[in-house]
Amino acid sequence: MTQHLAEPGTRTRPSGPGERPGWWRDAVIYQVYPRSFADSDGDGVGDLQGIRSRLPYLRDLGVDAVWLSPFYVSPQADGGYDVADYRAVDPVFGTLLDADELIRDAHALGLRVIVDVVPNHCSDQHDWFRRALREGPGSPLRDRFHFRPGRGPGGEEPPNDWESVFGGPAWTRTKNPDGTPGEWYLHLFAPEQPDFNWEHPAVRDEFRSVLRYWLDMGVDGFRIDVAHGLVKAAGLPDTGRTGQLRLLGTQSLPFFDQDGVHEIYRSWRRILDEYPGERIGVAEAWTPSAERTANYLRADELHQAFNFHYLGAGWDAGALRRAIDDCLDAMRPVGAPSTWVLSNHDVVRHTTRLAADGPEQGVRRARAATLLMLALPGSAYLYQGEELGLPEVTDLPDEVRQDPSFFRDNGQDGLRDGCRVPIPWSGTEAPYGFGPVAGGPSWLPQPESWRHLSVEAQTGDPGSTLELYRSALALRRKHPALGAGDGVEWLEAPEGVLAFRRTARGPGDQARDGDLVCTVNLTGAPVRWTPQGRPLLSSCEPVIGGDAAGLPADSTVWWAV
């Protein structure tokens, strides 16, 4: 049942943060995974009122906007990315009034709010799909999805060779109303997530309406889930490939990154531009190259796209420099800002991902990677808890896991729960302030060691990861050489060290005093380097001696020039 506060189109945008032209070009946006951020009612699951209570923390951290993963009505077969009603809040997270209050409070604190929209697929509990199944073959509602007869004797084989990202065929067979085997339907993810048919005008009309509904509520934009997957090649041809499907690859596929998606996003951009305050669209687009990603960011399409090529570069000077250059070069012709991200709700936390030789190395590299990312031109995305240096939880018992691909063969690793464990806020006993009662529940168990990583434990400790993030974000906000721009000036540096200059720009794009140099030592051993200024911020304090500085292993230093 959809919840209503007002008739569509009657709401005005709540008073929000001061309007700054192009705010999104250098914004730092913080991802909140609602189930795991803050629990206000003690049921062990995070909720909107919990998020609302922690908004001052995010303001003080220094971010510009909050991105909320889905909180819509959902059976939670895939952590809320299986939406049954796009205009209602799931009761586990609260009510539509809670969403309204959260948006208003965020704006009052100077924070913008980005919400997820999931247009590639819905829940099998969505009213359209339930009616399509109930009415059987020939139902007009089946045209809004991809229903097809099977191949082989009796239609026993799937209609084509497409695979699910979560493992196994991307098709599930239905039963007819009389109980006989029926048609198959397409789901690129879990069987509980049937793909929409975006060739159908009703699907396009519905999502334009959904966008307006939340824009009228006051949201500042949308993160578009599986933005590259909406349009499928005509005729749904076989891929002819073997091996498990991955989201990011170099092979052209008939169900990802089809050129027809761009017409959809041009129509969405026209809607976004109707609203005041520069509302934005952000694509989760897994494409074979940075150049293909740039296609989503042409002047009449979306504003940003996640830079997954950078996330996958690893801890290697050559690979990182190539990823940075490729992204900047691809974005420049379309006039879009690059985006930089190290972690999110679908990947192993970078504190663990970069820990080739143990957790201490992982923390050092993660801190250094953060300062590198925040020194680059464009917008940065932070995932909840990374500012605390949280590691991936790799030892969750099988019985508590909820990632749908964990229960299927040959899919993604099925271990995404490890980056979704509720974050620690305070105290020495689980759930560490995540819920209102010490010793209360949390939907995934937290490691005992996290008592030392809570917000309370790290606040005021100058050596903590939290205080490093606070310092870095404060400097990024006020330093004229950080954030905006579309390029870096690479400097000569020893093997395994990256060094680049960011030039401050003033009105009219004129150079100003106050450049910044960023050095990143990726060698795993101290390196001597001649400083060009004074150290401004460091992930590990550099050792200054005479005319040279010692760059510690796995460290980044910002130098004021």
Side-chain angles (χ1 to χ4, degrees):
M1 180 68 69
T2 300
Q3 306 164 34
H4 293 284
L5 276 185
E7 291 302 315
T10 65
R11 290 292 310 280
T12 58
R13 183 179 184 226
S15 58
E19 304 300 348
R20 178 167 63 88
W23 67 268
W24 44 275
R25 290 187 168 275
D26 60 356
V28 176
I29 300 174
Y30 186 100
Q31 181 190 359
V32 166
Y33 190 70
R35 292 177 67 87
S36 302
F37 192 66
D39 170 20
S40 70
D41 58 11
D43 65 356
V45 178
D47 47 50
L48 296 182
Q49 285 293 348
I51 298 168
R52 184 184 175 205
S53 71
R54 299 294 186 177
L55 289 174
Y57 164 79
L58 297 178
R59 175 201 58 196
D60 295 343
L61 182 62
V63 302
D64 300 290
V66 182
W67 154 32
L68 302 176
S69 290
F71 50 81
Y72 314 112
V73 168
S74 166
Q76 302 294 317
D78 184 24
Y81 284 91
D82 50 315
V83 180
D85 189 338
Y86 289 86
R87 297 178 182 82
V89 173
D90 195 288
V92 74
F93 299 124
T95 67
L96 202 58
L97 180 60
D98 294 330
D100 179 71
E101 291 175 337
L102 190 160
I103 295 166
R104 290 178 182 274
D105 284 2
H107 286 166
L109 292 169
L111 296 168
R112 290 175 168 85
V113 178
I114 312 298
V115 299
D116 248 302
V117 63
V118 187
N120 178 71
H121 49 261
C122 63
S123 166
D124 61 356
Q125 299 303 303
H126 190 284
D127 183 60
W128 286 1
F129 191 74
R130 293 174 66 186
R131 289 170 55 195
L133 289 181
R134 186 169 62 248
E135 294 173 8
S139 168
L141 286 168
R142 292 203 171 197
D143 294 337
R144 302 180 186 187
F145 302 92
H146 295 279
F147 281 87
R148 295 288 188 278
R151 297 194 291 196
E156 294 178 358
E157 298 295 325
N160 65 23
D161 66 356
W162 294 5
E163 297 172 315
S164 163
V165 174
F166 289 164
W171 296 90
T172 290
R173 196 171 192 183
T174 67
K175 287 186 177 182
N176 292 322
D178 63 4
T180 59
E183 296 177 317
W184 298 71
Y185 68 89
L186 176 68
H187 53 87
L188 289 179
F189 295 87
E192 296 87 354
Q193 295 170 289
D195 279 42
F196 284 114
N197 173 18
W198 273 86
E199 302 301 329
H200 198 292
V203 174
R204 300 192 179 211
D205 288 346
E206 168 68 2
F207 275 91
R208 285 192 289 264
S209 174
V210 168
L211 295 185
R212 292 185 185 279
Y213 183 86
W214 290 103
L215 289 167
D216 289 340
M217 179 77 76
V219 303
D220 298 280
F222 302 92
R223 178 265 191 186
I224 304 162
D225 186 64
V226 195
H228 58 302
L230 278 56
V231 172
K232 279 69 173 175
L236 309 186
D238 283 344
T239 66
R241 69 192 299 274
T242 59
Q244 173 56 37
L245 169 65
R246 302 293 178 186
L247 281 172
L248 183 60
T250 58
Q251 184 178 359
S252 177
L253 294 169
F255 43 78
F256 281 164
D257 194 33
Q258 297 292 301
D259 289 338
V261 299
H262 300 291
E263 177 188 350
I264 296 168
Y265 298 131
R266 282 190 285 271
S267 74
W268 287 19
R269 178 60 179 263
R270 289 192 291 271
I271 292 173
L272 291 168
D273 286 349
E274 292 174 7
Y275 286 79
E278 292 192 274
R279 319 292 179 94
I280 69 170
V282 182
E284 183 207 25
W286 297 83
T287 68
S289 68
E291 289 77 17
R292 292 292 298 182
T293 300
N295 289 339
Y296 292 77
L297 306 176
R298 289 172 286 200
D300 61 346
E301 293 191 43
L302 302 174
H303 299 76
Q304 294 183 344
F306 289 118
N307 184 355
F308 296 116
H309 303 280
Y310 176 76
L311 183 150
W315 193 245
D316 176 84
L320 279 168
R321 178 165 174 169
R322 286 191 297 274
I324 292 167
D325 283 341
D326 288 349
C327 183
L328 293 173
D329 290 345
M331 298 301 114
R332 205 171 289 119
V334 295
S338 299
T339 63
W340 313 101
V341 60
L342 291 167
S343 288
N344 63 38
H345 66 291
D346 281 334
V347 302
V348 174
R349 287 186 178 274
H350 62 279
T351 302
T352 297
R353 199 172 67 245
L354 300 177
D357 294 326
E360 290 186 5
Q361 182 191 65
V363 172
R364 289 199 311 273
R365 288 182 172 182
R367 289 164 60 96
T370 295
L371 290 195
L372 165 60
M373 176 180 74
L374 293 176
L376 294 170
S379 180
Y381 281 78
L382 309 180
Y383 177 52
Q384 64 177 42
E386 74 172 72
E387 76 277 13
L388 305 177
L390 296 185
E392 187 84 356
V393 181
T394 59
D395 58 354
L396 288 169
D398 290 355
E399 59 268 21
V400 305
R401 293 190 178 277
Q402 299 189 29
D403 184 346
S405 63
F406 179 77
F407 303 98
R408 307 191 73 195
D409 292 333
N410 303 317
Q412 290 182 327
D413 60 21
L415 304 178
R416 293 179 300 168
D417 295 314
C419 65
R420 301 176 179 184
V421 174
I423 65 174
W425 292 94
S426 60
T428 58
E429 182 181 356
Y432 307 117
F434 167 67
V437 180
S442 65
W443 72 281
L444 288 173
Q446 301 151 300
E448 185 178 352
S449 60
W450 279 18
R451 69 177 64 186
H452 306 296
L453 298 177
S454 71
V455 172
E456 180 182 63
Q458 294 194 47
T459 295
D461 177 359
S464 72
T465 299
L466 175 58
E467 293 299 346
L468 176 69
Y469 270 73
R470 286 171 170 164
S471 297
L473 293 175
L475 279 170
R476 193 179 193 273
R477 185 179 292 272
K478 69 181 182 181
H479 198 289
L482 290 172
D486 63 2
V488 300
E489 177 191 349
W490 292 106
L491 306 175
E492 290 189 13
E495 184 73 21
V497 174
L498 296 179
F500 59 86
R501 179 189 296 265
R502 297 297 318 284
T503 300
R505 297 287 175 178
D509 203 34
Q510 297 297 309
R512 297 175 51 182
D513 293 334
D515 287 4
L516 180 141
V517 167
C518 177
T519 59
V520 190
N521 177 10
L522 299 102
T523 66
V527 171
R528 303 291 287 177
W529 189 77
T530 302
Q532 299 187 17
R534 61 180 176 84
L536 192 61
L537 185 64
S538 173
S539 63
C540 295
E541 288 301 323
V543 178
I544 306 294
D547 295 329
L551 302 179
D554 299 320
S555 70
T556 297
V557 185
W558 291 355
W559 305 85
V561 179

